[in-house]
Amino acid sequence: MTDKYDVVIIGSGPAGYVCAIRAAQLGLKTVCIEKYKNVAGKGVNGGTCLNEGCIPSKALLDSSMKFHDAKTSLVHHGITARSVSVDIEQMIGRKDDIVKKLTSGIASLFKANGVAALYGTGKLLAGKKVEYTDAKGKTKVIEAENVVLATGSVPIDIPVAPIDDKLIIDSKAALDLTKVPKRLGIIGAGVIGLELGSVWNRLGSEVVLLEALDVFLAIMDKQIAKDASKIFAKQGLDIRLGCRVTGSEIKRGKVNVTYQSSAGKEQQETFDKLIVCVGRQPSTENLLAEDCGVNLDERGSIFVDDYCATNAPGVWAIGDLVRGPMLAHKGSEEGVMVAERIAGQLTEMNYDIIPNVVYTHPEIASVGRNEEELKQAGEPYNVGMFPFVASGRALAADDTDGLVKILAHAETDRILGAHIIGPSAAELVQQVAIAMEFGSSAEDVGMMVFAHPSMSEAVHEAALAVNGHAIHVANRRKRKAKK
Ligand code: FAD
Ligand code: NAD
C-alpha cells in the first residue's frame, strides 16, 4: 500500500521543520521524515542546528562566558568571586537539557499543526515518490504532489587528520568534551573554530588555530576582521594563518600535528585534542535514486533556481543542501518560501539581506555588502562609524571593544551594508537589516529616536556619521570611495 501526501519533506532541521509547519498551516497534507537519533537512540527533530550546532554551541558559549567573567572581569565591578571553578558535567548537562526542550518542542509543534512525523531515512525516487525506511529496516513508498529535500550538511573530512572520535574530533564531539583539554588544536579558523575555540579557551585550554588561508575571516569586512584578530589574540587565541596541515599522528594519548607554516617551514605541535572544522558539505549520501531526475551543481549541492525548485518538476531543495550561506535562518526562510509557493503563493526571498553572525565575544555581525564588494562593483558609498568606547551603555557594561560601521550609497544614501564587532552585534545588525529591507537611507535611521542608554545608539550614531552628523563622536570628513 502507498501513502499519498501533498508534501513530503526529507530532513527536519531548521529548513525542513519550518517548511513542514508552514505547509501544514496552509492546509497541505504534510509528512516530515527524519533519520537523526539522540544518544538514547530515539528519533528527534531539529537537525544540526538544534542537536549539534547553533543551539548547543551558544549554550556553551554563554556558560563559558559566565565562568570567564566570574574569574576575570567581575573584579573590575568591585565583585570578588573566590575559588571559581567549573563543573563540565553540569555545563554539558544544561546544554543537553536545552537541546531536549527544543527538539521535543518541534515534535509538539508538528502535532499542533497536523504535520505527520516519521523517523527513519528518506530517499527520492523517480516520479515524486519517496522510499521511507524505518528504524527496523522496513521500507515503504510514499507518493507526493511535492517533495522537499532538506537533508542539510555534514562536516568535511580531511585525510591528513582523520576523525577517530577520541583525540581527533569534529564539531559535534567538541560540544560534548567531559574534560577541559590542556592544549587544544583546531584546524580551520572559520566560524566553528572561533566559536568552539572561544568556549574552550575561556574554560582554560591553551588554544591554537591552524588556518590554511593567509587572510583572517576572509568573508568579513577587512577592518572588522583586523580588529577581531587583535581582540582574539588578546584573549589568548593563538591563530596561525597560512598553515597547511600535512599530517597527524596519535602517540601516547596525544595528537602530533605536522604543518607547513606561511614561511614554508615544516612545524610540529602536540595537542591533547584536535578539532577539525574546515567547512561543511551538502548531505546527499543515499538521498537520490539514479533516475530521480535531480541535478547537482559543481560543488555537490542540489541545483535549484531562485525559488528552490530543482530541475525535476515538483521536487524542491532548501537549506544547507543548496547554494548560498550555510545558515539556519537562510534555510528556514527558504522553507517558508517553498511551502507558500507549493500552496500557490508567489513568495520570494531576499538573498541580499541575510545577516551573518559569529558568536565570539565580542560578536561579529554583518549584513549586505562590505567595502571591498562595493569597490569591486564600482558603487560610490559613504561610511559612518561609531566605536563602542564612546557608548555610555557599553561603558556601563564594561564592554567597549568594537564598532558599528554603516555603508550607504553616496548619491541616494540608501543603506547598502552594516558591519559590526561589539556587544550584542547579533541583535544590532538586525536593526540595520530591517532598515535595508524597507529601503531606508542612513538619514532615515538617523532621524529615528533611539532609547538611551542602549547599545542600539551605536547604530543610530553610525547612521548619522554616514552624512557627517554624528553627535557623540568626531565626524570623519564625508568621503566618497574611489571608483
Ligand atoms: P540540518 O540542520 O543539517 O538538518 C538536516 C536534517 O536532515 C538532519 O537532522 C539529518 O539527520 C536529516 N537527514 C539527512 N539525510 C536524511 C535522509 N536521507 N532521510 C531523513 N533525514 C535525513 N547557523 C546559524 O545560522 N547560526 C549559528 O549560530 C550556527 N551555529 C552552528 C554551530 C555549529 C557547531 C554548526 C555545526 C553549525 C552551526 N550553524 C549555525 C549552521 C546551521 O546548523 C545549519 O546551517 C543548519 O542546521 C542547516 O539547516 P538544514 O535544515 O538545511 O540542515
Ligand atoms: P568555515 O568555512 O567557516 O571555516 C573553515 C575554515 O577552515 C576556513 O577558514 C578555511 O580556510 C579553513 N580550512 C579549510 N581547509 C583547511 C585545511 N586543510 N587546513 C586548515 N584550514 C582549512 O567552516 P566551519 O567553521 O567548519 O563552519 C561550517 C559552516 O557552518 C559555516 O560556513 C557556517 O555556514 C556554519 N556555521 C555558522 C555559524 C554561525 O552562524 N554563527 C556557526 C558555526 C557554523
Side-chain angles (χ1 to χ4, degrees), residues 134-423:
D134 71 13
K136 290 186 181 134
K138 218 172 120 198
T139 64
K140 71 172 173 179
V141 173
I142 302 172
E143 283 185 30
E145 289 296 326
N146 288 274
V147 179
V148 183
L149 307 173
T151 53
S153 62
V154 289
I156 294 174
D157 293 327
I158 46 173
V160 286
I163 303 292
D164 69 356
D165 283 326
K166 289 187 188 93
L167 294 178
I168 306 181
I169 58 178
D170 62 14
S171 57
K172 178 175 190 265
L175 295 165
D176 277 321
L177 295 180
T178 49
K179 221 170 93 183
V180 180
K182 197 162 178 304
R183 251 176 95 67
L184 175 64
I186 298 182
I187 307 185
V191 198
I192 296 182
L194 291 171
E195 291 187 356
L196 294 182
S198 295
V199 167
W200 295 105
N201 175 49
R202 289 170 196 165
L203 296 176
S205 292
E206 192 185 317
V207 178
V208 179
L209 295 108
L210 302 173
E211 166 60 49
L213 292 181
D214 293 321
V215 192
F216 180 57
L217 277 179
I219 57 160
M220 291 289 177
D221 175 274
K222 258 192 193 155
Q223 181 187 6
I224 301 272
K226 207 168 143 199
D227 284 4
S229 166
K230 280 189 205 147
I231 293 168
F232 296 152
K234 256 202 283 173
Q235 291 173 358
L237 291 177
D238 181 352
I239 302 170
R240 302 183 192 172
L241 301 178
C243 293
R244 202 167 60 82
V245 176
T246 51
S248 61
E249 189 191 12
I250 310 275
K251 233 179 182 175
R252 282 183 231 110
K254 301 213 185 248
V255 197
N256 296 328
V257 175
T258 317
Y259 68 94
Q260 213 166 52
S261 72
S262 49
K265 251 174 75 184
E266 181 152 300
Q267 313 255 32
Q268 219 185 46
E269 282 288 352
T270 302
F271 301 112
D272 298 295
K273 288 272 183 207
L274 179 69
I275 308 174
V276 180
C277 40
V278 293
R280 296 177 63 87
Q281 61 192 8
S283 169
T284 52
E285 203 178 88
N286 299 323
L287 176 66
L288 306 170
E290 238 168 64
D291 59 350
C292 72
V294 165
N295 288 347
L296 301 184
D297 66 19
E298 65 287 354
R299 284 167 313 159
S301 306
I302 304 266
F303 178 76
V304 288
D305 66 12
D306 289 349
Y307 309 108
C308 292
T310 71
N311 52 301
V315 180
W316 312 74
I318 55 178
D320 281 8
L321 195 53
V322 303
R323 82 289 177 257
M326 288 186 169
L327 296 171
H329 41 286
K330 174 257 189 188
S332 295
E333 284 314 303
E334 288 177 335
V336 170
M337 171 173 72
V338 164
E340 293 183 350
R341 291 192 87 86
I342 289 173
Q345 300 178 12
L346 297 177
T347 311
E348 294 185 358
M349 192 174 142
N350 187 353
Y351 281 95
D352 293 335
I353 306 180
I354 300 178
N356 194 344
V357 182
V358 187
Y359 291 85
T360 44
H361 189 89
E363 292 173 351
I364 306 169
S366 70
V367 66
R369 286 180 288 168
N370 60 34
E371 289 199 62
E372 289 71 44
E373 287 163 333
L374 291 172
K375 275 180 200 153
Q376 226 163 42
E379 262 185 77
Y381 63 92
N382 288 326
V383 185
M385 284 197 274
F386 188 79
F388 282 99
V389 74
S391 150
R393 188 72 193 91
L395 275 163
D398 195 16
D399 210 351
T400 52
D401 276 340
L403 59 96
V404 175
K405 180 197 256 194
I406 292 181
L407 308 173
H409 197 281
E411 282 140 26
T412 64
D413 196 36
R414 191 180 174 130
I415 300 178
L416 303 172
H419 306 278
I420 307 175
I421 178 167

Side-chain angles (χ1 to χ4, degrees), residues 12-14 16-25 30 32 45-46 50 100-117 119 332:
S12 74
Y17 86 73
V18 169
C19 184
I21 291 172
R22 188 69 191 119
Q25 283 173 352
T30 304
C32 187
N45 303 118
L50 296 198
K100 209 165 155 194
K101 215 174 266 173
L102 288 172
T103 52
S104 57
I106 292 175
S108 309
L109 286 172
F110 275 0
K111 220 180 245 171
N113 285 282
V115 175
Y119 297 98
S332 295

Side-chain angles (χ1 to χ4, degrees), residues 11 13-15 34-35 47-49 53-54 58 122 151-152 320 326-329:
E34 174 56 63
K35 73 172 184 185
T48 305
C49 171
C54 322
K58 270 72 228 176
T151 53
D320 281 8
M326 288 186 169
L327 296 171
H329 41 286

